[in-house]
Amino acid sequence: MNTETRSDAVPTAGQDALNARTPTVTDPRDASRWTAVTRRLPEEMAKELDLLAFAGDDGMLFMRDGVGLAARGTAFRIPVPGGTAAVDHVRDILGAIVADDLMHRAASGPVAIGALEFLPHEPGYLTVPELLVAKSSDGTAWVTRVRDNEIDSSLPAVERSTLLDLSDMVGPTSTAWSPHGFDLHSTVTHQQWCERIATAVAAINDGPLEKVVLARAVDVEATEPLIIGEILGRLRALFPSCMVFHVEGFLGASPELLVSRKGSAVRAHPLAGTIARSGDPETDARLAASLLASSKDRWEHSLVIDAMAALLRPLCDELDVPRTPTVLSLRNVSHLATLITGSLRADQVHDRTSPTALELAGLLHPTPAVGGVPVDLALATISELEPVPRGRYAGPVGWVDAAGNGEWAVGLRSAQVSGNRARMHAGGGIVADSDPLAELTETQLKLQALLAAVVRP
């Protein structure tokens, strides 16, 4: 295994520009030519439905504990030229699609899926898939097929609804094997990274920067093509409580819920503050207790919670923000976590002016957990000290439906995969008393956990 330094980028499929052969919709009037037909899957099929198998190597996936959605094909794309800072047009476009929906649940009818860039104003796009299957925690499952009415105009509406052919519910299965051999190429040396951390600490001590989250990139180059489906399967096995996702080569298992909305209910589960796990229950209990007792980590965590609560509170009739965080334990690290729950303002829910899940994600991103405080100064510091652009790393990844429901995770524990190469990022929050070597160790722990899924041992 080689660990030489290099900085050439991993190719990103479909990220640089919209494919000219894929329809794009920027005006709700153009969206009205499309129909979304949603039907419930039979109970036996719902029991057997494996979202990961349906998505295969090329589909889109967003799931946790077997629940979520998977999609294949592209009906059309919705450009987001202003990034997460300008996403209000997505609601109108999804709402203009003719919906033949017998489920009327979150993630039924027209749905847009995407992984947006970390930088808030960086352009991106969402995908309205041709075929989407969803499975809820109660075992109910359904399928939505989106069709272009102009192309299918010869089919009567009733006949179009029968196009939900259940024979294609099985996704393509790869027969290739994941490679054993690989090299690692760091974009900066360990010494260079520690120097950057020290520079950030000095800037914080000089003020007015309070916190900045810095991430470093590592490239994996395997001896053979990396197999998306196998990586996702290992992520599901290694991180069962995380949100396993895949959008056009960008994949991961995120432990952090940026925001979700179902009806009027809003949830967020931010993380900040990290400590290693040993694998020994007694030792890990002591480590978790030390994390809860750490004034540095508690203060860093409070920056995140206070900022998110301040943004959500004016939108809600009720907002519950626990005063004491909990400890979320993952495979090799534990985090301080706080579950924020609330109810959107009843008057806005009633007249449908409440922000959608995507708009809430745009409001909250980037949180101090992935950017810093104050936000603009932290982003400028990130651009100065990180030698490689983050791309979609730490950006919002998830889905939104026409009713405004949706779920958006933070794109952490992630990699951008193309062919036999993958680029991974890992970072940590830097505050006034951060230790460069400790911060380096934290990124190594996070990268090791992801590497175990990207390359077969």
Side-chain angles (χ1 to χ4, degrees):
M1 183 174 69
N2 185 8
T3 57
E4 67 185 70
T5 301
R6 87 189 214 180
S7 59
D8 50 315
V10 174
T12 54
Q15 196 170 4
D16 296 330
L18 297 177
N19 190 318
R21 293 170 296 179
T22 301
T24 62
V25 173
T26 59
D27 190 318
R29 291 171 296 184
D30 296 327
S32 62
R33 63 184 261 192
W34 299 82
T35 296
V37 181
T38 302
R39 296 292 183 268
R40 183 170 181 162
L41 290 179
E43 184 175 344
E44 287 304 311
M45 177 165 280
K47 286 182 180 179
E48 298 297 324
L49 177 62
D50 183 338
L51 294 171
L52 194 155
F54 177 83
D57 293 329
D58 300 320
M60 294 174 285
L61 179 70
F62 191 80
M63 62 170 285
R64 178 174 53 193
D65 293 328
V67 172
L69 52 84
R72 301 212 312 263
T74 300
F76 62 84
R77 285 172 173 163
I78 305 174
V80 186
T84 53
V87 293
D88 54 329
H89 65 294
V90 176
R91 178 207 301 257
D92 295 333
I93 290 174
L94 290 177
I97 299 172
V98 179
D100 180 1
D101 181 6
L102 298 187
M103 296 300 298
H104 301 290
R105 299 178 63 154
S108 71
V111 173
I113 303 173
L116 298 174
E117 300 281 314
F118 169 74
L119 291 177
H121 296 279
E122 193 72 18
Y125 56 86
L126 304 178
T127 297
V128 177
E130 287 183 326
L131 189 65
L132 178 144
V133 292
K135 191 172 186 177
S136 67
S137 57
D138 64 6
T140 305
W142 56 93
V143 57
T144 298
R145 191 184 294 270
V146 177
R147 293 285 185 175
D148 186 337
N149 295 332
E150 292 187 4
I151 294 176
D152 297 333
S153 59
S154 60
L155 295 175
V158 174
E159 188 175 345
R160 278 204 301 275
S161 70
T162 68
L163 292 174
L164 301 173
D165 182 3
L166 302 185
S167 65
D168 59 6
M169 289 295 103
V170 178
T173 302
S174 174
T175 58
W177 290 91
S178 290
H180 283 288
F182 63 94
D183 288 336
L184 294 183
H185 310 284
S186 179
T187 57
V188 294
T189 66
H190 289 177
Q191 180 180 345
Q192 290 171 331
W193 182 245
C194 287
E195 290 171 353
R196 284 169 166 80
I197 299 297
T199 299
V201 170
I204 291 168
N205 286 321
D206 288 343
L209 184 65
E210 294 184 72
K211 174 187 176 181
V212 62
V213 180
L214 293 181
R216 66 187 185 97
V218 171
D219 291 343
V220 177
E221 188 165 354
T223 54
E224 301 168 72
L226 297 164
I227 309 303
I228 298 289
E230 283 201 2
I231 296 173
L232 293 172
R234 286 192 289 271
L235 287 172
R236 177 171 63 177
L238 292 170
F239 306 103
S241 64
C242 292
M243 288 165 275
V244 177
F245 61 85
H246 175 230
V247 178
E248 295 178 333
F250 182 64
L251 54 80
S254 176
E256 187 163 359
L257 173 67
L258 176 60
V259 69
S260 72
R261 175 190 165 179
K262 290 187 178 180
S264 62
V266 174
R267 296 173 72 249
H269 200 200
L271 314 177
T274 304
I275 198 166
R277 297 189 68 202
S278 69
D280 175 69
E282 291 186 4
T283 301
D284 286 338
R286 289 195 297 270
L287 290 170
S290 70
L291 180 62
L292 278 170
S294 168
S295 58
K296 168 191 175 293
D297 290 292
R298 289 288 292 269
W299 182 76
E300 180 186 345
H301 189 78
S302 69
L303 288 176
V304 179
I305 304 308
D306 292 347
M308 295 182 69
L311 291 169
L312 289 173
R313 194 165 281 115
L315 303 174
C316 297
D317 285 331
E318 300 177 2
L319 189 70
D320 180 33
V321 185
R323 297 183 64 180
T324 303
T326 59
V327 175
L328 175 68
S329 295
L330 301 175
R331 185 168 179 262
N332 65 341
V333 296
S334 294
H335 300 287
L336 290 180
T338 296
L339 178 61
I340 300 173
T341 58
S343 297
L344 293 172
R345 286 173 47 186
D347 58 329
Q348 292 188 345
V349 172
H350 178 73
D351 61 18
R352 298 188 177 184
T353 59
S354 292
T356 67
L358 176 59
E359 290 165 347
L360 289 170
L363 173 70
L364 296 173
H365 176 76
T367 73
V370 295
V373 180
V375 174
D376 290 343
L377 184 55
L379 292 179
T381 304
I382 288 170
S383 297
E384 178 184 350
L385 296 181
E386 290 186 12
V388 175
R390 293 188 180 185
R392 292 166 165 174
Y393 166 74
V397 54
W399 60 273
V400 64
D401 67 17
N405 304 303
E407 190 167 18
W408 292 86
V410 183
L412 303 173
R413 308 297 194 277
S414 59
Q416 183 70 49
V417 177
S418 180
N420 69 328
R421 298 180 63 190
R423 169 159 286 174
M424 306 183 299
H425 289 79
I430 313 304
V431 293
D433 54 352
S434 290
D435 175 65
L437 287 176
E439 298 298 337
L440 174 66
T441 299
E442 181 178 331
T443 63
Q444 289 174 316
L445 286 168
K446 293 173 179 176
L447 288 168
Q448 287 168 5
L450 183 59
L451 187 63
V454 171
V455 180
R456 186 165 56 116

